[in-house]
Amino acid sequence: MEGEKMKRAEEEYFRERAQLDRELTELEDEQDSVNYQMRVSEMVLDKLKKTNIFNIAFHIWHQDQFGTINGFRLGRLPGSPVEWPEINAAWGQTVLLLYSLAKKMNFTFERYKLVPFGSHSYIECLDDQNKKLPLYGDGGFKFFWDSKFDHAMAAFLDCLHQFKGQVEKSDSGFCLPYDIEPGPARIRDVHSGASYCIRAQFNSVEQWTKALKWMLTNLKWGLAWVVSQFGEVSDQ
């Protein structure tokens, strides 16, 4: 009898021991999983801290002969008649970008105020706030004979030129890839000497589109400078 009791007690002990071992293994596996998830979360957080909000919000690139911002093409070509809603959206993103860069630098433009308003963004003339220059259109017959759109694009180029001047005050080595001539509203390639007007009236669509592409390229360089100078998203 005594031997059977010892045997049963021994078996019960090993069963309980085996159960405890299983539970311990499960707890260790769960802890390993938690530790792994913590490491992944820390890696993601570290990556986010090193990601600047401007790079997330504004992607400037090119598609064939077009400059693009967040996938929207800016300009028109005979073989690629971009619809005006896309052009308006591109201008809206472009205005928002320069507005945001200037705000980040605590810089106020002279003569003009950028008003980002989606596909209906515009520019206010500071000497006459009732005068609004629209950076959008519908491409209708009257539109092409209305000079306000051209004035708006020239005003925007003027603001970009002011932004460049402000950057140069703190960084004498800063240089945009294309020269800006705000008076005639032209952008010039210093290497080839070629220059294009940003106005649409009395201009070919090819040259207008080229000017817009160069303008976006300048903006991309300006964006890169602000990102390099004003830190990471965690410091915003």
Side-chain angles (χ1 to χ4, degrees):
M1 291 291 293
E2 193 66 30
E4 290 180 1
K5 287 182 180 180
M6 289 289 294
K7 184 177 181 181
R8 284 196 297 270
E10 185 178 2
E11 290 173 349
E12 181 66 21
Y13 166 78
F14 283 115
R15 278 197 299 271
E16 292 178 357
R17 174 63 185 272
Q19 179 64 27
L20 288 172
D21 286 342
R22 283 194 297 271
E23 291 177 358
L24 179 60
T25 300
E26 290 174 359
L27 286 173
E28 289 175 344
D29 290 343
E30 185 176 345
Q31 184 63 46
D32 288 342
S33 177
V34 171
N35 291 339
Y36 174 75
Q37 292 176 33
M38 285 291 292
R39 288 196 299 271
V40 171
S41 298
E42 289 171 357
M43 289 170 60
V44 171
L45 180 60
D46 185 60
K47 184 176 181 181
L48 286 173
K49 286 181 177 179
K50 294 178 180 178
T51 302
N52 192 280
I53 190 65
F54 289 123
N55 286 332
I56 297 174
F58 302 102
H59 177 64
I60 295 176
W61 199 239
H62 58 83
Q63 180 179 330
D64 299 324
Q65 298 179 63
F66 293 99
T68 65
I69 180 168
N70 291 341
F72 298 114
R73 292 171 293 178
L74 197 54
R76 303 189 95 207
L77 291 172
S80 301
V82 180
E83 298 295 331
W84 279 97
E86 181 176 350
I87 296 173
N88 296 339
W91 266 118
Q93 294 293 299
T94 303
V95 172
L96 179 59
L97 173 55
L98 185 56
Y99 170 88
S100 301
L101 295 178
K103 186 176 181 181
K104 186 66 180 177
M105 296 172 59
N106 197 28
F107 173 62
T108 301
F109 296 108
E110 298 178 356
R111 297 181 292 281
Y112 303 109
K113 177 184 177 182
L114 299 179
V115 183
F117 197 61
S119 296
H120 288 79
S121 297
Y122 59 93
I123 296 177
E124 283 185 358
C125 296
L126 295 181
D127 59 354
D128 182 3
Q129 293 187 358
N130 292 321
K131 187 176 181 181
K132 297 180 179 179
L133 303 174
L135 279 167
Y136 57 89
D138 58 12
F141 178 78
K142 291 183 179 179
F143 169 76
F144 284 106
W145 290 101
D146 187 349
S147 61
K148 286 184 178 179
F149 183 59
D150 272 356
H151 289 166
M153 290 187 290
F156 183 87
L157 195 64
D158 188 337
C159 290
L160 182 56
H161 186 257
Q162 292 181 49
F163 168 81
K164 170 181 177 287
Q166 183 66 17
V167 172
E168 288 175 340
K169 289 180 181 179
S170 56
D171 185 354
S172 60
F174 178 77
C175 181
L176 292 175
Y178 300 103
D179 274 355
I180 297 174
E181 301 172 355
R186 301 184 73 88
I187 300 184
R188 183 171 63 90
D189 184 347
V190 295
H191 300 292
S192 68
S195 69
Y196 300 102
C197 183
I198 201 170
R199 294 188 176 96
Q201 283 188 335
F202 311 111
N203 195 6
S204 70
V205 290
E206 293 89 351
Q207 292 196 17
W208 177 54
T209 300
K210 177 71 78 172
L212 293 173
K213 184 178 181 180
W214 287 3
M215 179 197 71
L216 282 179
T217 301
N218 275 356
L219 257 181
K220 185 173 183 177
W221 280 54
L223 168 61
W225 185 87
V226 170
V227 168
S228 70
Q229 296 296 312
F230 289 91
E232 301 165 356
V233 66
S234 59
D235 299 323
Q236 299 294 319

